[in-house]
Each structure stands twice: as C-alpha cells, then as structure tokens.
Amino acid sequence: MNIVCATLNAKYIHMNLAIRYLKAYAQPEFDVKLVEYTIKDPVLNIVTDLYQRRPDVIGFSCYIWNIEETIKVVKLLKKAAPNIVIVAGGPEVSYDVREWMERVPELDFIVIGEGEETFKQLLFALEGRKEVADVAGLAFRDGDRIVMNPQRNKLRLADMPSPFRFPEDIPHLPNRIIYVETSRGCPFSCQFCLSSIEVGVRYFDREKIKDDLRYLMKHGARTIKFVDRTFNISRSYAMDMFRFLIDEHVPGTVFQFEITADIMRPEVIEFLNKEAPPGLFRFEIGVQSTNDEVNRLIMRKQNFAKLSRTVTMIKEGGKIAQHLDLIAGLPEEDYNSFRKTFNDVFALRPEELQLGFLKLLRGTGLRLRAEEYGYVYMDHAPYEVLANNVLSFDDVIRIKQVEDVLEKYWNAHRMDETIEYLVTDVFPSPFDFFQQFGTYWDERGWARIGHQLEDLFRRLHEFLRTCAPDALPVAESLMKYDYLRNQKYKPRKPWWEEKTEKTTRTTVYRALLERPEVLGEDFAALGLGEKELFKHTVVEIVPVDVGRYIAAKQLSFAPTAIVAYFDPSGTGATVFSAPLSTLFASSASA
C-alpha cells in the first residue's frame, strides 16, 4: 500500500511536525512518504505531483491557514483519481466533524484529535486486518450515512517515537524552522484557544527530547521552535531544559519558546541573564489584553504587574529577544480599551509587538458563545472577527491600520530612535502615533503597493511634514541617523535630498583629519587618512545634537555633523557625531 502524508505549509521555511509523528508512529508496519507544499503553490501543480506518486492513501494535515487551499486540492485530486483514499486530520477538522464530512464529500475519513494511533489503525483497516468501525477517533462514511466513532484515550507520550530521524530531512534542517514538542495540553482555560479544550498537561520523555535536540543540532538545525503552549508551566522542567540548551547548544542555533511571563520567577530570569549566551533564546509572550474584566470573561488569569516585571528583567539582561502578542476583538474590549492595552504593552518596549485579531476557532468557548457578544466573523478560515457588540467594523479597520505600520516601523527596527522620539515627545501616546500614521498610510493607498527601504523613510517624512511639522527638524535628524546606522554599505543615494554644501563637508573632513579624537576614541582609533575618509564615510549636517539625544534623551538644537563610517568588509556602519561648534573650535585651537 502506497501511503502519503501531505500538508500545505504557510511558508517554505516551515517543517510540519504532525505528519512526521504519523510517519514515525506508523513504522515499521507501514512506510509513509512525506510531501510538503505551501499555500502559495498552484493547486493544479500540487494535484499533479500527488497524482504522479500513485498513492493508495493520502492523509492531509489541516489547519486554519491551509484548510481552504487543502479542500481545493482534495476536490481536484478526487476528480483526477477517484480511487485514492483521502484522509484529513488536524485541529481544523477535529471539531464540527460532521459538517466537514458533509461540506467535503471527497473526504473518505477524518481523524479526530490526536492522530498517531488512529491513523495507524486506519491503515490496518484499509489493509483488511481490522474493521473501520472499530477504529476509535475516526469519522467515515457508511453508504450515505456519516459515522463518528468515539475518541480514543490519550497516548502515553513517553512511549512516542522520534519524528526527527528521517534521512531525507537532513539536507533541509539548516534552512527550515524545526518544531519540537515536549508536552501536549495547557493548564489554562483561555476561551479563544483550542488548547483550553484538552484538560491537563502531558510530557514527552525528557531524555528522548534531549537526544532529538542533539541530533538536530548535529545535523545543522539553526532555528528550533518549541510548540508547547506554556513551556515554563513546570519550573523544574523548564530550568532543566534551559540548562541543557545552554550547556550543549551549537553556536548559531536559536531556540524559541512560548512562555507565560507572570509565573516566571525572578531567580529563573536572573539565571538566564547570567548564563544564557546572547541570542540563544527567544521568548514569545501572549499578553492579549491588560483589561482585567476582559481577561475574566475569557477565563484568562494574568497578573500584568508580574508580567511587566518579567519582561523588564529580561530586557535589561540584554540576552533574550521578546515577542509580545495582543488580540483585538476580545469580549467587551472596545476601541478605547484596546488603545490602553496597546499603550500598556508598548511601554515595555518589546523587540516585537504582534497585533493580531481574534479568530473564532472551531471548538473554542468563544465560538460557542459568539451570539452572547454579538460576534460577526468570517464564515471560512481563519474565522477572523469583523465586529462585536462593542467594536464596530470601522474600529477593526482602524486597528488594522495600526497593525500595518507597527510591523514596518517598530518590529522591523529600521528607525528606533526616530520612533522613540515620536511616541514619547510628539504624539499623545504610542497608539496615537501608529493610528494617525496608519490612517494616513491607508488613505494614500500605500497599503496596496510595495516599498523599498528608502520609500519607508520618505513616507514617514511626508506624514510628519503634513501632520506634525513642528517635529520635523528633530525627526528628520534622527531619521538620517537611523538610516545611516542600519546600512551595511555606503549608500549611493540616501532617501533625502542632500543639503550639506560641498564646502561645509570639506571643512568637516579637514577638521577630522586634524583632530579625529573630537568624535571620540573609537573614531580616532580607525586611523583614517584623507583617502579612506572620503571613500568610506558619509557626512550630513543636521540641526540637532543627535549624540546627546541618543545618549541622554535630551534635545539640544545645535548644528551637528553626523559621520557614518562604513567598514570596507561590509559589516555595517558606525555612526559618530559632534556639534559643529565643538568640531570647528577643536580645529581652530589646533
């Protein structure tokens, strides 16, 4: 029997964990072949490739991000090859199973819930060694009748085989995100999340996990993401894994975790700040809302003061990047409440702030109670909220405008000093800056076109010139600083119209050749001669002492030379600055 397990990933860099567990669990009795595509691949191309593999059985791994494209594949494949047995499984089809069987008659079977044992038992049944009616956790067709067998008991995870030991995966490990499970389930009951449905937390064998991680690192894995819903629910377990990864990691490997920040003890953070190499770990923290009443309605326990303490301690340690999540559209969180939530969280200055929108997932408590809160949401995946009783579609559109520019201008870290100035000193709050800019962005149709780096600077400049002209002298100075410091090579043409006269630039260079120490010891240590100075630096005169602002957040209006030195090796820019009065006074006294 020729068996294929397939999925459509959101991106090529993803590597589906579920189908690898199915393959590992089906061995040695069955040899399952794995095939992965992306949701961007043409449906006919996918169907053609699957058809040419001549499978007897195909199992599809289904999620909210791939279900609609997967259905197209299933329907076309069944037309081309009616005799192929098609099985669907995964979180998207494990709820409202009868509806899925009716909506997609091309599906022969649906595996409900945890699928490893059910899928293997189904393969035995298809070989004639077992009755389909006896396979727990399976939905199937009996003529025109849809039959749904009771779900099976949970697997003992400690006995699970490794999903990582397939030779065909080895060449891809360095270039893909590798997902690792150390537990299943979640101790919390957040009503928007599928994990709340499974009671309790079960763990895989710790030593087997460590062996898998050694194997993955040995074979070049660079990004390993733990998919546990709350990695640090057991402090002793988390500490043991942190210690292991610190001691045995291969340089260049990054580990990502979803953690619950308000239960993380200060001594754990102190340990990580002291022991973890910079860049080894990355934490994803779901905040969702800082409104206590909203959290109560979704059965989410959260102490924002403790969460803030954790995020702040980690940030001060400077070792671990943090990604914080918000969800717009939660029950009773209106536009003003969400504005406060955003500002509360932005005040922590996370490296990334992800603004997402509530999705009414099948099987979740919020979807079951959608009418209670007046939810209007998409009929098809991803079931994203359009409005509710306190948040209009107009409000949703406005918040989406915030999301667009937040991603481009904060999460990308292209102009941190500029944004810091704008959200602190110019606009009433961070949210107000992103909202006003996002609305301006959307009204000009920029959301529908692509952008080069220079375009992003020009568009912010245009917005400020129109909506906050008094801030432009400082903002433009900081934008030039941000632009230069983030370039790897000397730019041929910057985003601004160069205003510094050639004679002024020549005077600055002459002063630097005579007294390079005026820009500090690091600049003097470069030992640049006249040729190197002209070839490898950019000089721009701005009206603000940017060095003072960046060091102490103090504004001082004084004509200042920004000097960006670009290392010939392409390692990037180092930016120096000094007021012209200091620069020329030093030159004159020499």
Side-chain angles (χ1 to χ4, degrees), residues 19 27 46 180 286 294 302 339 391 442 450 530 564 566 587:
I19 60 175
Q27 294 176 340
I46 296 173
V180 173
V294 171
Q302 179 168 271
R339 175 182 181 272
L391 197 73
D442 194 35
E530 183 176 3
F566 294 87
S587 177

Side-chain angles (χ1 to χ4, degrees), residues 79-91:
K79 283 186 175 182
N83 294 328
I84 295 178
V85 174
I86 298 181
V87 187

Side-chain angles (χ1 to χ4, degrees), residues 366-429:
L366 271 188
R367 182 164 174 134
L368 296 175
R369 296 161 57 200
E371 288 188 16
E372 181 180 340
Y373 300 109
Y375 274 113
V376 180
Y377 58 96
M378 298 175 180
D379 292 332
H380 297 287
Y383 316 112
E384 189 168 289
V385 64
L386 302 176
N388 63 25
N389 59 345
V390 299
L391 197 73
S392 68
F393 189 46
D394 283 326
D395 293 331
V396 170
I397 291 171
R398 293 170 70 197
I399 296 173
K400 282 188 175 291
Q401 293 168 346
V402 172
E403 177 193 26
D404 194 9
V405 293
L406 177 72
E407 190 66 31
K408 291 179 175 67
Y409 285 87
W410 178 256
N411 291 343
H413 293 287
R414 294 181 172 105
M415 45 188 97
D416 287 354
E417 296 295 342
T418 306
I419 302 303
E420 185 63 41
Y421 165 67
L422 294 173
V423 303
T424 303
D425 297 329
V426 179
F427 289 84
S429 77

Side-chain angles (χ1 to χ4, degrees), residues 5 7 37 66 79 107 109 178 278 299 334 337 355 365 379-380 452 461 463 481 487 497 504 560 564 589:
C5 278
T7 195
Y37 309 96
N66 72 8
K79 283 186 175 182
L107 290 176
F109 299 95
I178 313 303
M299 299 175 65
D334 62 14
S337 173
L355 198 171
D379 292 332
H380 297 287
Q452 300 294 327
H461 190 271
F463 164 69
Y481 170 84
Q487 298 291 314
E497 293 294 328
T504 304
T560 295
S589 64

Side-chain angles (χ1 to χ4, degrees), residues 243-269:
R243 178 79 268 174
F244 164 75
L245 295 172
I246 289 169
D247 290 344
E248 299 198 26
H249 76 277
V250 173
T253 306
V254 177
F255 298 95
Q256 300 183 25
F257 310 88
E258 292 185 33
I259 68 161
T260 300
D262 59 347
I263 66 171
M264 183 167 269
R265 299 285 292 272
E267 55 266 31
V268 176
I269 305 169

